């Protein structure tokens, strides 16, 4: 899964990462960022608390008794979770320092515009308990020389976050990403690594569940002998129940319906039996205009899933009406998706039985 730098899976550069940006002078410019702050005096939005611990344990299936009861501690692997700002970010001005953005701007401008998270390391110094106040500082620990990977050539950037509880060091979190120029991929035929540009590109086929299947017994392009081709598995089916049946009925009519509270007029998505603002159980619907923007996104590379051709873009789309939903972004190559990119709803038939609301990028 691609991610990082606010806009997951992408940046602003259009170069190749070669030439003047691959020599010693460029590396020296990158190395100047080592030791500079990535975040200063950050403060967690919440105290360490039992509800977040419970939700984490339920999501992870962790039933260790140390995480429940009057003397509960937080799972150590939640270390970074207490520092996160969520979708709204850190409104108090804390968070990433300018040096981090400047480093990414430099790499983007040199053509290393794609980004993928590679690994993280955590060290635990003390337990975190409900009521602890979390603060943190982060530093750009290292920028590697130019490395060549299967994804493409680029630079590894490692940041280190020191997490404190009530002013005392509780642990460190190292996070490493690769900023890279994507390797050239063949654009022929049904290749999953094709350019994905335009209505016939692999990005459309991946989002819609894949391209056409060759009949059994026909030859693969370039192969000497014909052989059977296993039909592509179907896309996963939505779980339709009494709470969301109206939404899927709207999709079947090629409409995207949003719930609206009868009492306070609050819009909500996904569909729920009651209003999250006032608690009312009475609602009607409004039809979305179909216009939206990419609020955030990831580019999926791994793990593979039989019904999809990686890489493909999964976006959190902010509709013009103000609510957000998750869907595929189609119409451009996955590494060209950007935060803020305008998109338009496209109800797409992905197989004989299923239509899904996807979003096509509106590009010049």
């Amino acid at each position: 899964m691609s991610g990082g730098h606010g806009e997951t899976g992408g940046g602003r550069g259009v170069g190749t990462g070669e030439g003047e940006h691959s020599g010693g002078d460029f590396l020296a410019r990158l190395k100047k960022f080592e030791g500079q702050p990535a975040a200063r005096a950050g403060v967690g939005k919440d105290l360490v608390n039992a509800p977040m611990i419970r939700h984490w344990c339920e999501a992870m299936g962790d039933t260790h008794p140390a995480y429940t009861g009057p003397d509960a501690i937080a799972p150590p692997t939640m270390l970074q979770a207490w520092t996160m700002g969520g979708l709204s970010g850190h409104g108090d001005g804390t968070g990433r320092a300018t040096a981090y953005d400047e480093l990414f701007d430099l790499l983007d401008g040199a053509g290393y515009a794609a980004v993928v998270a590679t690994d993280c390391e955590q060290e635990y110094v003390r337990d975190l308990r409900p009521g602890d106040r979390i603060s943190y500082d982060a530093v750009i620990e290292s920028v590697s020389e130019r490395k060549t990977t299967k994804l493409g050539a680029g630079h590894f950037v490692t940041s280190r976050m020191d997490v404190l509880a009530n002013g005392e060091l509780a642990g460190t979190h190292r996070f490493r990403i690769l900023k890279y120029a994507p390797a050239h991929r063949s654009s022929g035929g049904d290749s999953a690594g094709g350019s994905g540009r335009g209505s016939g590109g692999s990005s459309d086929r991946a989002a819609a569940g894949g391209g056409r299947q060759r009949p059994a017994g026909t030859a693969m392009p370039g192969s000497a002998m014909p052989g059977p081709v296993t039909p592509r598995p179907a896309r996963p089916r939505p779980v339709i129940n009494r709470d969301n049946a109206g939404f899927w009925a709207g999709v079947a009519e090629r409409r995207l319906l949003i719930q609206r509270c009868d009492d306070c007029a609050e819009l909500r998505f996904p569909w729920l039996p009651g209003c999250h603002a006032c608690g009312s159980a009475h609602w009607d619907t409004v039809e979305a205009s179909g216009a939206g923007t990419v609020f955030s996104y990831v580019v999926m590379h791994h793990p593979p899933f039989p019904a999809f051709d990686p890489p493909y873009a999964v976006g959190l789309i902010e509709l013009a009406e103000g609510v957000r939903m998750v869907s595929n972004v189609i119409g451009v190559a996955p590494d060209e998706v950007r935060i803020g990119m305008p998109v338009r709803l496209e109800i797409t038939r992905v197989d004989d039985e299923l239509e899904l609301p996807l979003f096509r990028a509106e590009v010049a």
Side-chain angles (χ1 to χ4, degrees):
M1 175 184 298
S2 302
H5 189 41
E7 44 183 23
T8 311
R12 292 177 288 280
V14 294
T16 64
E18 301 289 346
E20 64 177 305
H21 301 303
S22 60
D25 290 344
F26 182 67
L27 179 60
R29 294 173 65 190
L30 296 177
K31 288 290 187 180
K32 289 181 179 179
F33 287 93
E34 293 184 345
Q36 294 195 39
R40 294 179 184 269
V43 177
K45 297 183 78 169
D46 298 285
L47 300 178
V48 177
N49 63 86
M52 287 179 65
I53 293 173
R54 176 171 56 82
H55 292 316
W56 175 282
C57 290
E58 288 178 355
M60 298 297 178
D62 193 336
T63 59
H64 196 287
Y67 309 143
T68 61
D71 297 320
I73 62 172
T77 50
M78 286 188 73
L79 184 70
Q80 187 194 22
W82 306 110
T83 71
M84 291 180 169
L87 292 177
S88 60
H90 287 281
D92 56 2
T94 61
R96 187 162 56 225
T98 58
Y100 204 71
D101 287 329
E102 291 168 1
L103 172 59
F104 273 75
D105 287 341
L106 180 60
L107 288 164
D108 285 351
Y112 304 108
V115 59
V116 61
T118 61
D119 62 288
C120 70
E121 303 170 7
Q122 292 186 338
E123 300 175 13
Y124 311 118
V125 177
R126 55 151 287 188
D127 293 331
L128 296 177
R129 299 180 180 277
D132 284 343
R133 167 64 67 186
I134 299 301
S135 59
Y136 59 92
D137 293 285
V139 65
I140 301 169
E141 193 168 61
S142 66
V143 184
S144 78
E145 60 187 38
R146 188 171 184 267
K147 303 288 187 179
T148 300
T149 73
K150 186 175 181 180
L151 291 175
H155 296 266
F156 290 93
V157 178
T158 304
S159 59
R160 188 193 77 243
M161 176 182 290
D162 294 328
V163 181
L164 293 84
N166 308 319
E168 176 185 352
L169 182 66
T172 61
H173 174 85
R174 283 181 174 84
F175 189 68
R176 187 173 295 109
I177 63 167
L178 173 66
K179 286 284 287 175
Y180 67 99
H184 174 72
R185 299 187 181 100
S186 169
S187 59
D190 290 327
S191 169
S195 67
R197 300 174 190 270
S199 61
S202 66
S203 63
D204 287 2
R205 291 197 303 275
R212 295 186 296 273
Q213 299 296 313
R214 281 176 288 275
T218 60
M220 297 285 287
S223 66
M225 298 294 294
V229 176
T230 302
R232 179 187 300 279
R235 286 278 290 251
R237 268 32 194 174
V239 177
I240 301 176
N241 54 40
R242 64 181 182 180
D243 292 331
N244 64 16
F247 169 79
W248 290 106
V251 171
E253 297 172 354
R254 311 189 70 77
R255 299 190 300 153
L256 183 62
L257 299 180
I258 303 169
Q259 282 181 306
R260 178 176 59 191
C261 177
D262 275 346
D263 292 326
C264 71
E266 180 82 5
L267 298 180
R268 64 179 184 264
F269 194 92
W271 280 40
L272 296 168
C275 178
H276 58 266
C278 72
S280 172
H282 304 290
W283 53 271
D284 60 5
T285 62
V286 295
E287 183 175 356
S289 67
T293 57
V294 177
F295 183 84
S296 182
Y297 68 99
V298 296
V299 176
M300 300 297 298
H301 296 272
H302 188 81
F305 191 81
F308 298 84
D309 286 325
Y312 54 94
V314 179
L316 178 61
I317 308 301
E318 184 165 78
L319 301 180
E321 291 75 16
V323 298
R324 298 171 186 156
M325 66 178 293
V326 175
S327 183
N328 288 120
V329 180
I330 63 175
V332 295
D335 60 5
E336 293 178 356
V337 177
R338 296 291 183 267
I339 287 176
M341 174 180 281
V343 292
R344 173 66 61 174
L345 172 69
E346 190 169 293
I347 305 292
T348 303
R349 179 166 292 281
V350 298
D351 58 38
D352 292 340
E353 300 176 349
L354 182 64
E355 289 184 304
L356 294 175
L358 310 181
F359 287 85
R360 180 172 294 277
E362 294 192 318
V363 293

PDB file of all heavy atoms in Angstrom, residues 239-247 259 271-273 283:
ATOM      1  N   VAL A 239     -22.520  -6.378   1.414  1.00  0.00           N
ATOM      2  CA  VAL A 239     -23.472  -6.957   2.363  1.00  0.00           C
ATOM      3  C   VAL A 239     -24.656  -5.999   2.459  1.00  0.00           C
ATOM      4  O   VAL A 239     -24.523  -4.877   2.966  1.00  0.00           O
ATOM      5  CB  VAL A 239     -22.823  -7.166   3.740  1.00  0.00           C
ATOM      6  CG1 VAL A 239     -23.848  -7.696   4.733  1.00  0.00           C
ATOM      7  CG2 VAL A 239     -21.636  -8.125   3.623  1.00  0.00           C
ATOM      8  N   ILE A 240     -25.788  -6.419   1.948  1.00  0.00           N
ATOM      9  CA  ILE A 240     -26.971  -5.562   1.909  1.00  0.00           C
ATOM     10  C   ILE A 240     -27.908  -5.970   3.038  1.00  0.00           C
ATOM     11  O   ILE A 240     -28.267  -7.143   3.172  1.00  0.00           O
ATOM     12  CB  ILE A 240     -27.679  -5.657   0.546  1.00  0.00           C
ATOM     13  CG1 ILE A 240     -26.721  -5.232  -0.576  1.00  0.00           C
ATOM     14  CG2 ILE A 240     -28.941  -4.796   0.526  1.00  0.00           C
ATOM     15  CD1 ILE A 240     -27.304  -5.379  -1.974  1.00  0.00           C
ATOM     16  N   ASN A 241     -28.273  -4.988   3.871  1.00  0.00           N
ATOM     17  CA  ASN A 241     -29.187  -5.246   4.976  1.00  0.00           C
ATOM     18  C   ASN A 241     -30.242  -4.147   5.015  1.00  0.00           C
ATOM     19  O   ASN A 241     -30.283  -3.275   4.139  1.00  0.00           O
ATOM     20  CB  ASN A 241     -28.408  -5.335   6.300  1.00  0.00           C
ATOM     21  CG  ASN A 241     -27.546  -4.109   6.546  1.00  0.00           C
ATOM     22  OD1 ASN A 241     -27.964  -2.987   6.271  1.00  0.00           O
ATOM     23  ND2 ASN A 241     -26.333  -4.323   7.050  1.00  0.00           N
ATOM     24  N   ARG A 242     -31.098  -4.182   6.014  1.00  0.00           N
ATOM     25  CA  ARG A 242     -32.204  -3.227   6.056  1.00  0.00           C
ATOM     26  C   ARG A 242     -31.728  -1.792   6.255  1.00  0.00           C
ATOM     27  O   ARG A 242     -32.464  -0.845   5.935  1.00  0.00           O
ATOM     28  CB  ARG A 242     -33.187  -3.603   7.164  1.00  0.00           C
ATOM     29  CG  ARG A 242     -32.612  -3.545   8.567  1.00  0.00           C
ATOM     30  CD  ARG A 242     -33.650  -3.966   9.595  1.00  0.00           C
ATOM     31  NE  ARG A 242     -33.141  -3.881  10.965  1.00  0.00           N
ATOM     32  CZ  ARG A 242     -33.847  -4.201  12.030  1.00  0.00           C
ATOM     33  NH1 ARG A 242     -35.106  -4.614  11.874  1.00  0.00           N
ATOM     34  NH2 ARG A 242     -33.335  -4.095  13.239  1.00  0.00           N
ATOM     35  N   ASP A 243     -30.507  -1.617   6.790  1.00  0.00           N
ATOM     36  CA  ASP A 243     -30.007  -0.259   7.009  1.00  0.00           C
ATOM     37  C   ASP A 243     -29.459   0.374   5.740  1.00  0.00           C
ATOM     38  O   ASP A 243     -29.462   1.607   5.613  1.00  0.00           O
ATOM     39  CB  ASP A 243     -28.909  -0.268   8.079  1.00  0.00           C
ATOM     40  CG  ASP A 243     -29.438  -0.611   9.458  1.00  0.00           C
ATOM     41  OD1 ASP A 243     -30.616  -0.299   9.720  1.00  0.00           O
ATOM     42  OD2 ASP A 243     -28.684  -1.189  10.267  1.00  0.00           O
ATOM     43  N   ASN A 244     -28.948  -0.426   4.797  1.00  0.00           N
ATOM     44  CA  ASN A 244     -28.341   0.165   3.608  1.00  0.00           C
ATOM     45  C   ASN A 244     -29.008  -0.253   2.302  1.00  0.00           C
ATOM     46  O   ASN A 244     -28.523   0.095   1.220  1.00  0.00           O
ATOM     47  CB  ASN A 244     -26.850  -0.172   3.542  1.00  0.00           C
ATOM     48  CG  ASN A 244     -26.579  -1.660   3.377  1.00  0.00           C
ATOM     49  OD1 ASN A 244     -27.460  -2.433   3.030  1.00  0.00           O
ATOM     50  ND2 ASN A 244     -25.333  -2.066   3.610  1.00  0.00           N
ATOM     51  N   ALA A 245     -30.111  -0.986   2.386  1.00  0.00           N
ATOM     52  CA  ALA A 245     -30.760  -1.475   1.172  1.00  0.00           C
ATOM     53  C   ALA A 245     -31.183  -0.329   0.258  1.00  0.00           C
ATOM     54  O   ALA A 245     -31.113  -0.446  -0.973  1.00  0.00           O
ATOM     55  CB  ALA A 245     -31.973  -2.340   1.533  1.00  0.00           C
ATOM     56  N   GLY A 246     -31.597   0.810   0.844  1.00  0.00           N
ATOM     57  CA  GLY A 246     -32.007   1.948   0.028  1.00  0.00           C
ATOM     58  C   GLY A 246     -30.865   2.514  -0.789  1.00  0.00           C
ATOM     59  O   GLY A 246     -31.068   2.983  -1.921  1.00  0.00           O
ATOM     60  N   PHE A 247     -29.663   2.475  -0.235  1.00  0.00           N
ATOM     61  CA  PHE A 247     -28.506   2.960  -0.981  1.00  0.00           C
ATOM     62  C   PHE A 247     -28.273   2.113  -2.217  1.00  0.00           C
ATOM     63  O   PHE A 247     -28.093   2.633  -3.333  1.00  0.00           O
ATOM     64  CB  PHE A 247     -27.259   2.951  -0.092  1.00  0.00           C
ATOM     65  CG  PHE A 247     -25.988   3.192  -0.851  1.00  0.00           C
ATOM     66  CD1 PHE A 247     -25.643   4.477  -1.226  1.00  0.00           C
ATOM     67  CD2 PHE A 247     -25.147   2.140  -1.196  1.00  0.00           C
ATOM     68  CE1 PHE A 247     -24.473   4.706  -1.945  1.00  0.00           C
ATOM     69  CE2 PHE A 247     -23.983   2.364  -1.906  1.00  0.00           C
ATOM     70  CZ  PHE A 247     -23.643   3.660  -2.281  1.00  0.00           C
ATOM     71  N   GLN A 259     -28.295   9.951   2.870  1.00  0.00           N
ATOM     72  CA  GLN A 259     -29.335  10.125   3.880  1.00  0.00           C
ATOM     73  C   GLN A 259     -29.344  11.561   4.411  1.00  0.00           C
ATOM     74  O   GLN A 259     -28.291  12.189   4.560  1.00  0.00           O
ATOM     75  CB  GLN A 259     -29.116   9.168   5.051  1.00  0.00           C
ATOM     76  CG  GLN A 259     -29.544   7.732   4.779  1.00  0.00           C
ATOM     77  CD  GLN A 259     -29.311   6.860   5.988  1.00  0.00           C
ATOM     78  OE1 GLN A 259     -28.209   6.808   6.508  1.00  0.00           O
ATOM     79  NE2 GLN A 259     -30.343   6.148   6.436  1.00  0.00           N
ATOM     80  N   TRP A 271     -24.717   4.971   5.183  1.00  0.00           N
ATOM     81  CA  TRP A 271     -26.067   4.935   5.708  1.00  0.00           C
ATOM     82  C   TRP A 271     -26.085   4.323   7.104  1.00  0.00           C
ATOM     83  O   TRP A 271     -25.411   3.340   7.392  1.00  0.00           O
ATOM     84  CB  TRP A 271     -26.946   4.114   4.775  1.00  0.00           C
ATOM     85  CG  TRP A 271     -27.399   4.874   3.563  1.00  0.00           C
ATOM     86  CD1 TRP A 271     -26.665   5.751   2.818  1.00  0.00           C
ATOM     87  CD2 TRP A 271     -28.689   4.814   2.952  1.00  0.00           C
ATOM     88  NE1 TRP A 271     -27.400   6.249   1.785  1.00  0.00           N
ATOM     89  CE2 TRP A 271     -28.659   5.687   1.841  1.00  0.00           C
ATOM     90  CE3 TRP A 271     -29.847   4.121   3.229  1.00  0.00           C
ATOM     91  CZ2 TRP A 271     -29.754   5.866   1.004  1.00  0.00           C
ATOM     92  CZ3 TRP A 271     -30.946   4.291   2.405  1.00  0.00           C
ATOM     93  CH2 TRP A 271     -30.904   5.154   1.312  1.00  0.00           C
ATOM     94  N   LEU A 272     -26.898   4.939   7.963  1.00  0.00           N
ATOM     95  CA  LEU A 272     -27.038   4.503   9.356  1.00  0.00           C
ATOM     96  C   LEU A 272     -28.510   4.572   9.751  1.00  0.00           C
ATOM     97  O   LEU A 272     -29.274   5.366   9.186  1.00  0.00           O
ATOM     98  CB  LEU A 272     -26.213   5.392  10.289  1.00  0.00           C
ATOM     99  CG  LEU A 272     -24.689   5.383  10.115  1.00  0.00           C
ATOM    100  CD1 LEU A 272     -24.058   6.526  10.909  1.00  0.00           C
ATOM    101  CD2 LEU A 272     -24.120   4.048  10.546  1.00  0.00           C
ATOM    102  N   PRO A 273     -28.919   3.802  10.747  1.00  0.00           N
ATOM    103  CA  PRO A 273     -30.328   3.830  11.155  1.00  0.00           C
ATOM    104  C   PRO A 273     -30.725   5.099  11.881  1.00  0.00           C
ATOM    105  O   PRO A 273     -31.904   5.442  11.939  1.00  0.00           O
ATOM    106  CB  PRO A 273     -30.464   2.605  12.062  1.00  0.00           C
ATOM    107  CG  PRO A 273     -29.081   2.329  12.540  1.00  0.00           C
ATOM    108  CD  PRO A 273     -28.169   2.730  11.421  1.00  0.00           C
ATOM    109  N   TRP A 283     -35.630   9.945   8.553  1.00  0.00           N
ATOM    110  CA  TRP A 283     -34.764  10.470   7.507  1.00  0.00           C
ATOM    111  C   TRP A 283     -35.416  10.318   6.142  1.00  0.00           C
ATOM    112  O   TRP A 283     -36.363   9.559   5.953  1.00  0.00           O
ATOM    113  CB  TRP A 283     -33.414   9.741   7.514  1.00  0.00           C
ATOM    114  CG  TRP A 283     -33.518   8.227   7.459  1.00  0.00           C
ATOM    115  CD1 TRP A 283     -33.628   7.371   8.511  1.00  0.00           C
ATOM    116  CD2 TRP A 283     -33.543   7.417   6.278  1.00  0.00           C
ATOM    117  NE1 TRP A 283     -33.710   6.067   8.064  1.00  0.00           N
ATOM    118  CE2 TRP A 283     -33.646   6.064   6.698  1.00  0.00           C
ATOM    119  CE3 TRP A 283     -33.463   7.695   4.915  1.00  0.00           C
ATOM    120  CZ2 TRP A 283     -33.692   5.004   5.800  1.00  0.00           C
ATOM    121  CZ3 TRP A 283     -33.504   6.640   4.012  1.00  0.00           C
ATOM    122  CH2 TRP A 283     -33.614   5.314   4.463  1.00  0.00           C
TER     123      TRP A 283
END
